[in-house]
Amino acid sequence: MDEELRALTQRLRQESRGATACERLLDTQDHDELAQVLTAPGQPLWARELAAFRLGSAGDRRAFESLVLLLNHRDPPRCAAAATALARLGDPRTARAAAALATNELRVAYALHPVRLLVELRAPESVPALITTLERRLRPHDPYRRVALACVEGLGELADPRARRVLNEALAHPVLAQAAVGALARIPRQKRSS
């Protein structure tokens, strides 16, 4: 059992209060049974999360919609588990969905895990979405500094020259300045034409 599944298992066993249905979902190797939990009415959230995580981790795309919903949940451990499963899933729609969640100003409080997922995916959507999200976080008195910091660090990891302008703007923000210096140092210098 990998570390992500171990943490998820412990959390959901507590949430389900040791329900036998939880143990059944942990033990089953039947993907159809897991997929049925995602569409059956009246299923508790812990059961849907467990089924989606297991399917996504196994590369079963039937988990995609449920995992995207969980990626945008108000509970950070659910978001983190969904991001892990989406990264493993390998669905080509994942980057577009994560970019939409990261740039949605109405849900910016929950953008941390979509931002981190975009960095991990290294998809064409990643840099533009992180730049857009960071630009919005550079407004005075913005309360979402953790999201901004994740964008700065992610843009440094992606090392794309398109991020240079917004990272230079981030230097003016004390909370972001040190990370922005590090991120800018990772972006290769452009060669001047002679």
Side-chain angles (χ1 to χ4, degrees), residues 91-134:
D91 191 301
R93 300 171 291 176
T94 300
R96 191 171 38 246
L101 293 174
T103 58
N104 182 345
E105 277 299 288
L106 298 176
R107 302 289 292 174
V108 69
Y110 311 112
L112 182 62
H113 291 285
V115 164
R116 289 178 178 165
L117 178 58
L118 284 166
V119 176
E120 184 175 351
L121 294 174
R122 297 181 171 273
E125 296 89 346
S126 297
V127 171
L130 267 59
I131 289 171
T132 298
T133 303
L134 180 55

Side-chain angles (χ1 to χ4, degrees), residues 10-23:
Q10 183 178 12
R11 179 171 55 81
L12 296 185
R13 277 184 174 143
Q14 288 177 345
E15 193 175 319
S16 72
R17 295 185 173 96
T20 56
C22 183
E23 297 307 315

Side-chain angles (χ1 to χ4, degrees), residues 1 4-14 26:
M1 185 182 299
E4 288 84 3
L5 182 57
R6 188 180 343 274
L8 177 86
T9 299
Q10 183 178 12
R11 179 171 55 81
L12 296 185
R13 277 184 174 143
Q14 288 177 345
L26 285 166

Side-chain angles (χ1 to χ4, degrees), residues 26-189:
L26 285 166
D27 292 338
T28 187
Q29 298 305 311
D30 184 352
H31 285 197
D32 290 336
E33 180 181 353
L34 291 169
Q36 210 169 21
V37 171
L38 300 179
T39 58
Q43 292 295 318
L45 183 57
W46 62 261
R48 292 184 193 280
E49 181 182 2
L50 181 53
F53 183 89
R54 292 212 45 223
L55 287 170
S57 294
D60 190 320
R61 291 187 179 172
R62 291 178 287 182
F64 177 76
E65 288 83 5
S66 295
L67 289 171
V68 169
L69 289 172
L70 290 165
L71 181 63
N72 196 31
H73 197 273
R74 68 180 175 274
D75 185 13
R78 290 196 202 287
C79 300
T84 297
L86 281 164
R88 294 175 180 175
L89 180 60
D91 191 301
R93 300 171 291 176
T94 300
R96 191 171 38 246
L101 293 174
T103 58
N104 182 345
E105 277 299 288
L106 298 176
R107 302 289 292 174
V108 69
Y110 311 112
L112 182 62
H113 291 285
V115 164
R116 289 178 178 165
L117 178 58
L118 284 166
V119 176
E120 184 175 351
L121 294 174
R122 297 181 171 273
E125 296 89 346
S126 297
V127 171
L130 267 59
I131 289 171
T132 298
T133 303
L134 180 55
E135 285 172 338
R136 294 172 180 168
R137 306 287 59 86
L138 296 179
R139 297 178 188 139
H141 312 295
D142 185 84
Y144 304 108
R145 288 296 176 213
R146 289 186 64 210
V147 173
L149 185 59
C151 289
V152 169
E153 292 169 347
L155 288 167
E157 191 173 323
L158 295 172
D160 189 303
R162 294 176 290 175
R164 193 178 307 280
R165 179 192 53 77
V166 73
L167 289 171
N168 277 317
E169 291 174 20
L171 292 171
H173 297 263
V175 176
L176 305 174
Q178 184 176 354
V181 168
L184 284 163
R186 297 178 78 174
I187 297 175
R189 291 267 174 220

